[in-house]
Amino acid sequence: MAPKLDKAAAKEAKKQRRQASRERRSQIFEAFKMQRREDRGLIPWMVGALLVVAGAIFGLGFIWGLQWIFLPVGIAFGLLAAVIIFGRRVQRNVYRKADGQPGAAGWALENLRGRWRVTNAVAGTTHLDAVHRVIGRPGIILVGEGAPHRVKGLLGQEKKRIARVVGDTPIYDLIVGNEEKQVPLSKLQTHMAKLPRNITVAQMDVIETRLSALANKGTALPKGPMPQGAKMRSMQRTVRRR
């Protein structure tokens, strides 16, 4: 009985992998069609990368008389270069569209690569200003988005609040935007990746636990910007009932 169950489970897992692979290919193809409609330079850049890389490797093959052996390798690397160019141009287009939109920084943080612990909208205002908290190897990074004169106050308050429970852990703060001393949305991930590594993964776990406990001690108000038109009296009554 057990071998039959194992075979059935393996067959089902294989079926799911195939389905997931088809969905990924479909998503990539749709992204390619959308990007091609908006980016006239996409095809020339991809074809150019393929030809240049393949031609360069093919040319190197002449040195040892192995040009025809090098040709498939050159084509493979040329295709890789074309895919990389496609990915970067799509990413640039997505960031261009998201730039300046409420919640754009939170979206970018959720797509960080690596061991980052992201908590969106730990503080906010009714004007859709927000502060997001990230725990990583550099320590704690507070990322603000919105009007600078309001976000600076939010960052200062949140920094004081968490400093009481994280000890000597470094706390960085930044504002996403295109003005002076701000970090552009498209460079947010690069900026954070360049921060020095100050703590270990084990220390990250401890800090995350402490900050979760701190959040649980607060009131049960909703996180992030309060909906437009919300009345503080009704909110206070809700808190008192709890």
Side-chain angles (χ1 to χ4, degrees), residues 55-137:
I57 295 178
F58 180 74
L60 286 175
F62 278 102
I63 298 176
W64 300 280
L66 301 172
Q67 62 271 20
W68 298 111
I69 297 177
F70 275 44
L71 181 59
V73 178
I75 292 175
F77 278 97
L79 289 172
L80 177 61
V83 170
I84 291 173
I85 287 176
F86 165 65
R88 289 185 175 179
R89 292 179 79 90
V90 168
Q91 185 181 46
R92 186 179 66 180
N93 188 36
V94 170
Y95 276 112
R96 179 179 59 81
K97 290 182 177 180
D99 193 17
Q101 298 295 323
W107 165 79
L109 293 172
E110 289 179 349
N111 289 278
L112 285 172
R113 294 185 294 270
R115 292 183 174 181
W116 301 94
R117 318 284 173 81
V118 180
T119 304
N120 279 337
V122 294
T125 71
T126 58
H127 300 282
L128 300 182
D129 309 299
V131 172
H132 313 290
R133 186 182 68 226
V134 183
I135 303 173
R137 294 293 302 277

Side-chain angles (χ1 to χ4, degrees), residues 115 117 137 199-209:
R115 292 183 174 181
R117 318 284 173 81
R137 294 293 302 277
I199 62 176
T200 64
V201 176
Q203 289 174 314
M204 287 170 54
D205 294 334
V206 174
I207 292 170
E208 186 175 24
T209 301

